[in-house]
């Protein structure tokens, strides 16, 4: 129905425009998530020089935010169940704002670590609350596409962070140069203040999750929220939610356990999806790419340009994933992505392992440098159209109503721990050799293929109440 935002699906209608609007505001947390974690990319070398840090401390400063992410993800599910999804979004906004101010004012590595941990708590909370909220307001037939908006927001945040890094470094003549009464790298962090405040303000304009409202007995409000995105089937959806709410008490950690002990299999699958998403090394590209390309012979300007191009590529392929995920399903996307990541990462590992080492770094010739760049961007393409959005969509919808927020919090915490392990270890692994580092990521890309093939369920088109 061209020109009409109401789309007929089976015996239900939905307002596409309104559904996208609500999901987009929730996904702004993903934008801050991407911005906050990637903004340090352009500042790493300048901070390392200003604070006189070695490889290990540099790696910890970069990845310290991820420790906060673990805490934020761990707590967000519980806070969302008790206080609602919107209040957690507002809390995350406040943490982002405080962190942006403090990090830009940092006078040494240890207070910078503290402020990055504060921001990380906001990132962790946003990583849980956005997919949960989107899954709970979305009609099943477009839930995958709406859930993918979280990943689109993340990669957009990464792009804006890297673009602002590039701009500020260009204006100053380098990330460590003076700019507007301070230093360029400090302005890179302060740039986050604007979207952080916008997230908090816009969060007050969207309604609470209908699932949370029903759990509080506010059924009329829940019905009104659903009427914003659905034209038919509202009574049935409310009945389904009420049925699950009546049957289920508030989730506890014990609900994630089997009667015989140990976590439920579906929870293990969620944790494993999170770990695989990080162990293929995607965030090495977004946290260290400018440093990496400089190490193999690129200028700072060229390295930052390449990093921006990579982030644009990530946005484009995420849009492709949004178009495909509800048509071909989650499993096929993940399997395709694993296959492509294995070959692109393997190519990078082979090139770095066989390049001559000069001054402790591999020296790439014109041909090998071009192949490495193509392989790196191919890796981003295969990740961005599969494991990037696919994992967040699955985590938002694969758990039943009773355990969703709590299990999603645990899986997201595992993701941040895995991210911390990969990000912290990269400088040390790179010292052993970039071929070794990328060989490690290649192995996990291959293992992820067989994991999906055997364990990951297809959730396309199923109502959350049927999980």
């Amino acid at each position: 129905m061209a020109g009409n935002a109401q789309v007929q699906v089976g015996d239900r209608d939905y307002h596409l425009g309104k559904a996208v609007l609500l999901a987009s505001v929730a996904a702004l947390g993903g934008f801050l998530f991407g911005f906050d974690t990637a903004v340090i990319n352009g500042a790493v070398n300048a901070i390392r020089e200003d604070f006189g840090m070695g490889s290990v401390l540099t790696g910890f400063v970069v990845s310290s935010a991820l420790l906060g992410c673990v805490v934020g993800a761990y707590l967000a599910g519980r806070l969302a169940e008790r206080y609602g999804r919107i209040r957690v979004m507002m809390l995350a906004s406040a943490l982002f704002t405080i962190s942006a101010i403090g990090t830009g004012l940092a006078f040494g590595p240890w207070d910078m670590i503290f402020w990055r941990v504060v921001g990380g708590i906001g990132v962790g909370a946003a990583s849980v609350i956005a997919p949960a909220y989107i899954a709970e307001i979305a009609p099943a037939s477009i839930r995958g596409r709406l859930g993918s908006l979280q990943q689109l927001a993340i990669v957009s945040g990464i792009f804006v962070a890297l673009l602002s890094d590039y701009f500020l470094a260009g204006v100053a003549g380098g990330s460590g140069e003076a700019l507007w009464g301070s230093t360029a790298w400090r302005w890179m962090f302060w740039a986050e203040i604007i979207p952080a405040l916008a997230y908090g303000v816009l969060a007050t304009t969207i309604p609470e999750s209908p699932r949370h409202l029903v759990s509080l007995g506010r059924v009329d409000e829940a019905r009104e929220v659903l009427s914003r995105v659905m034209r038919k089937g509202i009574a049935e959806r409310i009945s389904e939610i009420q049925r699950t709410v009546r049957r289920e008490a508030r989730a506890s950690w014990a609900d994630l356990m089997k009667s015989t002990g140990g976590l439920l299999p579906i929870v293990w699958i969620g944790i494993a999806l999170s770990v695989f998403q990080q162990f293929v090394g995607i965030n090495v590209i977004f946290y260290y790419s400018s440093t990496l390309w400089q190490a193999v012979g690129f200028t700072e300007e060229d390295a930052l340009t390449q990093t921006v191009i990579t982030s644009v590529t990530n946005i484009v392929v995420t849009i492709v994933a949004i178009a495909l995920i509800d048509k071909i399903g989650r499993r096929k996307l993940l399997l395709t992505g694993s296959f492509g990541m294995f070959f692109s990462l393997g190519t990078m590992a082979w090139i770095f392992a066989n390049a001559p080492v000069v001054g402790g770094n591999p020296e790439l010739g014109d041909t090998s440098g071009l192949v490495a760049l193509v392989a790196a961007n191919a890796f981003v393409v295969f990740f961005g159209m599969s494991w990037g959005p696919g994992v967040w969509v699955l985590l938002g919808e694969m758990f039943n109503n009773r355990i969703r927020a709590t299990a999603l919090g645990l899986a997201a915490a595992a993701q941040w721990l895995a991210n911390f392990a990969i990000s912290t270890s990269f400088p040390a692994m790179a010292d052993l050799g970039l071929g070794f580092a990328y060989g490690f990521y290649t192995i996990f890309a291959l293992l992820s293929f067989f994991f999906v093939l055997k364990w990951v369920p297809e959730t396309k088109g199923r109502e959350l109440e049927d999980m």
Side-chain angles (χ1 to χ4, degrees):
M1 299 189 331
N4 195 332
Q6 298 169 11
V7 181
Q8 182 77 26
V9 178
D11 61 348
R12 293 187 179 180
D13 292 353
Y14 57 82
H15 293 287
L16 180 60
K18 292 178 181 178
V20 169
L21 179 63
L22 295 183
S24 296
V25 173
L28 277 176
F31 180 92
L32 272 301
F33 164 170
F35 194 107
D36 193 89
T37 54
V39 70
I40 198 168
N41 187 307
V44 172
N45 286 343
I47 294 171
R48 182 172 183 169
E49 184 175 338
D50 279 4
F51 294 162
M53 301 183 299
S55 295
V56 174
L57 185 55
T58 300
F60 188 72
V61 167
V62 170
S63 58
S64 58
L66 305 175
L67 293 177
C69 293
V70 175
V71 175
Y74 180 85
L75 294 176
R78 309 290 292 168
L79 292 174
E81 291 288 356
R82 183 176 296 273
Y83 300 109
R85 281 58 167 157
I86 303 303
R87 289 182 179 177
V88 175
M89 292 182 196
M90 296 173 68
L91 173 62
S93 166
L95 292 170
F96 283 129
T97 305
I98 293 168
S99 172
I101 296 170
T103 309
L105 294 172
F107 53 82
W110 300 109
D111 69 312
M112 171 162 279
I113 288 169
F114 173 78
W115 294 117
R116 281 187 58 75
V117 169
V118 170
I121 295 173
V123 171
S127 73
V128 169
I129 208 62
Y133 179 88
I134 293 170
E136 290 170 353
I137 61 98
S141 56
I142 57 169
R143 193 175 59 236
R145 278 169 282 176
L146 292 182
S148 296
L149 291 176
Q150 163 81 345
Q151 180 66 13
L152 181 61
I154 291 171
V155 298
S156 298
I158 291 171
F159 167 70
V160 172
L162 298 178
L163 187 63
S164 67
D165 285 356
Y166 176 82
F167 170 76
L168 292 167
V171 171
S175 56
E177 301 300 321
L179 180 67
W180 303 326
S182 187
T183 311
W185 69 259
R186 297 183 183 275
W187 283 104
M188 292 176 182
F189 292 107
W190 289 332
E192 187 180 356
I193 295 172
I194 295 173
L197 291 173
Y199 177 43
V201 171
L202 289 172
T204 65
T205 68
I206 61 175
E208 184 53 79
S209 154
R211 161 75 185 170
H212 183 67
L213 291 171
V214 170
S215 72
L216 297 177
R218 294 155 61 180
V219 177
D220 289 341
E221 292 179 57
R223 187 177 292 109
E224 192 277 329
V225 172
L226 287 175
S227 71
R228 299 190 187 190
V229 295
M230 299 173 62
R231 288 177 54 82
K232 292 183 179 179
I234 297 172
E236 291 87 343
R237 181 74 175 269
I238 289 290
S239 296
E240 290 166 353
I241 296 174
Q242 286 178 314
R243 172 173 55 82
T244 58
V245 168
R246 280 195 301 268
R247 189 176 67 233
E248 301 154 1
R250 190 181 301 277
S252 68
W253 293 111
D255 294 317
L256 305 185
M257 311 292 286
K258 295 184 294 185
S259 58
T260 55
L263 291 173
L264 293 167
I266 194 67
V267 178
W268 276 119
I269 291 172
I271 290 172
L273 280 169
S274 291
V275 171
F276 274 117
Q277 190 198 52
Q278 297 303 315
F279 268 50
V280 296
I282 186 62
N283 283 312
V284 167
I285 296 290
F286 291 113
Y287 299 166
Y288 292 104
S289 59
S290 61
T291 301
L292 169 65
W293 296 123
Q294 287 179 68
V296 296
F298 289 73
T299 65
E300 180 183 29
E301 182 179 2
D302 287 344
L304 285 171
T305 300
Q306 175 55 36
T307 299
V308 171
I309 292 171
T310 300
S311 67
V312 171
T313 301
N314 204 9
I315 292 174
V316 172
V317 296
T318 301
I319 294 171
V320 172
I322 292 172
L324 293 176
I325 196 164
D326 281 321
K327 294 181 180 178
I328 69 173
R330 287 64 162 151
R331 276 172 51 87
K332 288 181 180 178
L333 274 185
L334 294 184
L335 289 169
T336 302
S338 294
F339 187 79
M341 290 190 300
F342 170 70
F343 282 101
S344 53
L345 285 168
T347 300
M348 293 179 71
W350 185 85
I351 288 175
F352 287 133
N354 287 280
V357 177
V358 179
N361 293 312
E363 187 175 84
L364 303 184
D366 291 342
T367 301
S368 59
L370 177 61
V371 173
L373 282 174
V374 171
N377 281 286
F379 168 51
V380 171
V381 166
F382 283 108
F383 179 89
M385 54 79 68
S386 61
W387 282 80
V391 169
W392 289 114
V393 169
L394 279 165
L395 292 182
E397 66 187 14
M398 66 191 290
F399 306 115
N400 66 41
N401 277 338
R402 178 179 178 83
I403 66 170
R404 180 172 303 110
T406 306
L408 209 166
L410 180 60
Q415 183 170 135
W416 293 116
L417 276 174
N419 192 339
F420 174 77
I422 292 298
S423 302
T424 304
S425 64
F426 177 72
M429 292 176 73
D431 287 344
L432 294 174
L434 289 173
F436 171 79
Y438 280 93
F440 177 88
Y441 308 141
T442 302
I443 290 170
F444 274 91
L446 179 62
L447 292 175
S448 71
F449 179 89
F450 293 106
F451 169 73
V452 174
L453 200 62
K454 182 170 178 60
W455 296 108
V456 176
E458 182 56 72
T459 55
K460 181 182 74 170
R462 297 175 62 191
E463 293 287 357
L464 294 184
E465 287 71 33
D466 297 328
M467 296 295 179

